Amino acid sequence: ENGDQTKEPACFSSVIPGWFSEMSPMWPGEAHSLKVEKVLFQGKSDYQDVIVFQSATYGKVLVLDGVIQLTERDECAYQEMITHLPLCSIPNPKKVLVIGGGDGGVLREVARHASVEQIDMCEIDKMVVDVSKQFFPNVAIGFEDPRVNLVIGDGVAFLKNAAEGSYDAVIVDSSDPIGPAKELFEKPFFQSVARALRPGGVVCTQAESLWLHMDIIEDIVSNCREIFKGSVNYAWTSVPTYPRHVSLPLNIQSHGVIGFMLCSTEGPDVDFKNPVNPIDDSSSKSNGPLKFYNAEIHSAAFCLPSFAKKVIESK
Ligand code: SAM
């Protein structure tokens, strides 16, 4: 436990020594705290503050600008769902682009698909890649796949220069729309994604929490309906350490959720709710077994609570 409060960044709680509290203008009036056993890395890149700490109950934790990006205990839920919801919805994906995803977890999951021949990644911050390789080897294993081409740069610029119709799938594994990822939630970016996808190509983006961000989700859905003429769907999953809806008393928290926008361009029909392309189990040996994703949870991810269904279907 790092008892010296003076050296620790603001997100390390001064109220409860030895605890990390995740506070953000993205979820005002709430905070999620994890007990810290040891701070393993603190750095500041050209884009964001980067912290890694050993938590008491969630393994090692990666934090960017004070927001939890992944923990060893529950990263499987997010990485597997954001990857297999799109890739299991189309037959034989071959060329995949990952925007963000600097921890390597999405690459690890894309690599399970034997049909994939090329995996391009554009991650803006090399420090995230280096830190993940050092502290999260089971996540960063994705970088070892020979099909991966890593570009360090801004995903917005990368997509602007991408050849038209060149990808079967784009996965936008971004941080929140505050800081370097802001433009990844805006219309021009979605337009450049649609242009880079082949007819019937698919995109899956990190799309916040329906408990906390219906306003952001509304805007994203409106933009996507205008831009993607195939299908537009919102799915969600449970990730305990993602933005959460805290019920009182404070120490009892409904576990966190995270959502995904899944869209396809005009062309061959894509029915996201019924996966057509099961994961090639033989490839899972090198990256360990799937811990979260399966065909049933794939279909269930598109079942929404009424308050969200009403908003999303009205756009
Ligand atoms: N699992 C996390 C979540 O749910 O928010 C996201 C993980 S991943 C660490 C997010 C990555 O997006 C970070 O490595 C960050 O550097 C990267 N990123 C943010 N803005 C970017 C941009 N404009 N272009 C490319 N990568 C970006």
Side-chain angles (χ1 to χ4, degrees):
E1 195 168 308
N2 182 335
D4 178 354
Q5 302 293 326
T6 52
K7 287 209 190 83
E8 291 175 341
C11 53
F12 284 94
S13 173
S14 52
V15 178
I16 326 169
W19 284 70
F20 162 83
S21 290
E22 182 188 54
M23 289 170 263
S24 164
M26 289 284 293
W27 37 93
E30 300 182 33
H32 169 218
S33 301
L34 286 176
K35 186 155 177 45
V36 178
E37 290 198 335
K38 184 172 172 33
V39 179
L40 302 171
F41 177 88
Q42 289 177 21
K44 188 171 184 51
S45 73
D46 294 341
Y47 301 96
Q48 51 211 340
D49 292 322
V50 181
I51 296 175
V52 177
F53 68 84
Q54 180 67 48
S55 71
T57 50
Y58 276 80
K60 288 198 278 296
V61 182
L62 172 66
V63 177
L64 297 180
D65 278 346
V67 175
I68 292 174
Q69 300 295 308
L70 72 85
T71 80
E72 285 181 312
R73 180 169 164 189
D74 66 3
E75 56 90 9
C76 60
Y78 174 85
Q79 317 279 17
E80 291 181 20
M81 291 296 272
I82 197 171
T83 305
H84 304 309
L85 285 177
L87 296 193
C88 291
S89 296
I90 54 174
N92 295 318
K94 288 187 171 52
K95 255 187 88 176
V96 179
L97 169 61
V98 179
I99 300 295
D103 50 72
V106 167
L107 295 178
R108 176 195 68 202
E109 296 306 316
V110 174
R112 292 180 194 276
H113 291 264
S115 66
V116 171
E117 296 163 359
Q118 181 180 331
I119 312 170
D120 294 343
M121 169 180 271
C122 180
E123 159 59 55
I124 201 166
D125 194 344
K126 188 173 179 306
M127 186 181 279
V128 176
V129 177
D130 295 343
V131 160
S132 186
K133 288 180 178 174
Q134 183 180 355
F135 296 102
F136 300 92
N138 295 332
V139 179
I141 189 172
F143 288 107
E144 293 169 21
D145 191 288
R147 295 167 287 180
V148 171
N149 311 300
L150 171 62
V151 170
I152 297 297
D154 185 339
V156 175
F158 186 93
L159 254 319
K160 272 192 192 132
N161 300 319
E164 194 162 336
S166 52
Y167 289 104
D168 297 297
V170 175
I171 297 169
V172 186
D173 175 17
S174 73
S175 26
D176 299 314
I178 294 180
K182 186 174 173 306
E183 287 184 72
L184 303 181
F185 289 77
E186 294 172 358
K187 194 169 179 178
F189 175 72
F190 288 121
Q191 285 165 330
S192 64
V193 169
R195 196 180 57 78
L197 282 171
R198 65 156 170 78
V202 294
V203 59
C204 181
T205 74
Q206 187 268 99
E208 302 304 337
S209 160
L210 46 79
W211 277 115
L212 297 167
H213 306 126
M214 277 316 297
D215 52 342
I216 298 176
I217 295 166
E218 254 187 284
D219 289 346
I220 295 175
V221 172
S222 295
N223 286 333
C224 287
R225 288 218 195 281
E226 241 183 85
I227 296 163
F228 294 96
K229 297 304 177 193
S231 74
V232 172
N233 308 263
Y234 188 87
W236 64 321
T237 195
S238 152
V239 185
T241 53
Y242 275 172
R244 55 189 52 238
H245 185 67
V246 176
S247 53
L248 295 177
L250 199 53
N251 61 341
I252 299 177
Q253 295 178 343
S254 62
H255 267 183
V257 298
I258 196 79
F260 308 102
M261 270 319 295
L262 284 126
C263 308
S264 62
T265 53
E266 195 164 13
D269 261 358
V270 177
D271 175 4
F272 285 105
K273 298 175 185 174
N274 297 294
V276 294
N277 171 34
I279 294 174
D280 177 340
D281 287 348
S282 62
S283 69
S284 62
K285 287 193 183 41
S286 54
N287 298 338
L290 284 170
K291 296 181 186 154
F292 191 91
Y293 177 87
N294 59 54
E296 294 78 19
I297 211 165
H298 177 129
S299 301
F302 294 87
C303 301
L304 301 178
S306 300
F307 73 87
K309 202 169 146 72
K310 201 162 62 190
V311 168
I312 289 167
E313 290 181 352
S314 69
K315 299 319 286 177

